[in-house]
Amino acid sequence: MAGRGHGPDFVEALARGLDVLSCFSDRRPVMTLSEVAAAADLARPTARRLLLTLEELGYAAACEGGFRLTPKVLGLGMAYVGSLGLWDIARPHLESLVARTGESSSMAQLDGSDIVYVARVAVPKLITLRVEIGTRFPAVQTSQGKVLLAALGPDELAGTLTQPSRSGLPRYIGRTAAQLHEELAEVRARGWALADEELAPGVRSVAVPVRDGAGVVQAAANVTVHAAETTRETLLEDHLPLLLRTAGEISGEWAAWQRRPHATVQPGTSVAAAT
């Protein structure tokens, strides 16, 4: 829990909000209202107001079984990425992939109906969109988003698609709902997705899933090219196999990282004694 201050400028409401965010962890990714109230030492009405405020701001989301955090927490600082261990693991693999393809590569996670970029290795090319860590795009218009949407169950997918995008881009009207569901079924079956100038003119990309130790799709990795320079055939026949191998290596190392032993150090015990 956040420390309690005693100065005249201490904001108790902010401290309570941080307490709520701190309740969630890899062991407790989904928590009920009662669990949050107990963990944060808050009254249920107070915990409820804080959770609903975080949900309205996009930092938390209601789901089956309670509430969970969203990737928007990334905006609070890169500590979130570091806590996942994902960026440190992915970086050398993405750098190697970029060196072999000569094209930019990124990783993203799903946040509502948007994707949010959590890692990126770019090359200096004339791409019409500026992308950096924290950038969000509508999932249905991106290869990474299609991979992440295809990994959802029917009910979760339906709920996700009803959420409005917070990317600021106009609504995409290039396909019907039936066509989207048919495409997601194909993505689910073959294990990769293509977005060909759906997000912006000249932007073509292919993406594949990145899985955690339980085999659950937690992120998507892609290769992005300029459509005028790289054909679909080159993207799928040359770059996709390298991307699949890269995502497999990242997934394997991430699973090993998640299984690493955790040492609990009691107060007053030196690190050397604990190990």
Side-chain angles (χ1 to χ4, degrees):
M1 300 298 100
R4 288 292 179 261
H6 303 286
D9 298 321
F10 183 79
V11 181
E12 182 70 20
L14 175 59
R16 290 177 175 176
L18 293 174
D19 284 348
V20 170
L21 289 175
S22 299
C23 291
F24 296 87
S25 67
D26 58 343
R27 297 183 180 181
R28 295 192 297 182
V30 177
M31 299 181 68
T32 65
L33 171 60
S34 297
E35 290 172 339
V36 170
D41 195 21
L42 297 170
R44 278 176 55 92
T46 300
R48 178 179 178 275
R49 289 196 301 271
L50 290 170
L51 283 168
L52 293 179
T53 298
L54 291 170
E55 182 181 20
E56 186 170 344
L57 292 173
Y59 292 108
C63 61
E64 184 175 355
F67 292 84
R68 60 175 175 81
L69 298 184
T70 74
K72 189 178 179 182
V73 176
L74 282 168
L76 300 177
M78 286 304 296
Y80 176 72
V81 177
S83 70
L84 289 176
L86 182 54
W87 169 231
D88 286 337
I89 291 169
R91 177 168 49 192
H93 295 287
L94 294 184
E95 290 173 345
S96 177
L97 177 64
V98 169
R100 298 177 70 182
T101 63
E103 306 290 355
S104 298
S105 181
S106 306
M107 291 184 60
Q109 292 182 291
L110 196 63
D111 181 20
S113 62
D114 295 330
I115 61 165
V116 178
Y117 283 79
V118 297
R120 180 165 174 81
V121 178
V123 296
K125 293 213 173 187
L126 294 177
I127 298 292
T128 55
L129 290 174
R130 179 180 177 182
V131 178
E132 56 191 19
I133 293 177
T135 295
R136 64 172 57 238
F137 291 130
V140 297
Q141 294 172 242
T142 68
S143 58
Q144 291 166 301
K146 293 176 189 178
V147 166
L148 295 168
L149 291 173
L152 301 179
D155 292 341
E156 190 174 6
L157 175 61
T160 297
L161 293 177
T162 62
Q163 299 181 42
S165 170
R166 299 199 300 275
S167 66
L169 296 180
R171 183 177 179 85
Y172 183 62
I173 56 175
R175 68 171 71 84
T176 65
Q179 289 172 329
L180 174 60
H181 281 83
E182 182 178 349
E183 182 176 7
L184 293 180
E186 293 177 359
V187 170
R188 194 177 301 114
R190 71 192 179 196
W192 56 269
L194 177 72
D196 197 353
E197 299 190 85
E198 297 170 40
L199 186 62
V203 178
R204 176 179 289 156
S205 68
V206 65
V208 300
V210 175
R211 303 175 185 273
D212 62 15
V216 178
V217 176
Q218 296 286 2
N222 80 344
V223 171
T224 302
V225 302
H226 197 293
E229 298 179 355
T230 305
T231 65
R232 287 169 58 115
E233 290 71 21
T234 297
L235 182 61
L236 298 180
E237 294 176 10
D238 296 344
H239 298 339
L240 177 56
L242 297 175
L243 177 62
L244 286 166
R245 181 181 302 174
T246 298
E249 292 169 349
I250 294 172
S251 297
E253 290 191 20
W254 194 17
W257 184 88
Q258 290 177 316
R259 292 194 300 268
R260 75 199 190 286
H262 295 269
T264 301
V265 180
Q266 299 297 329
T269 303
S270 68
V271 175
T275 57

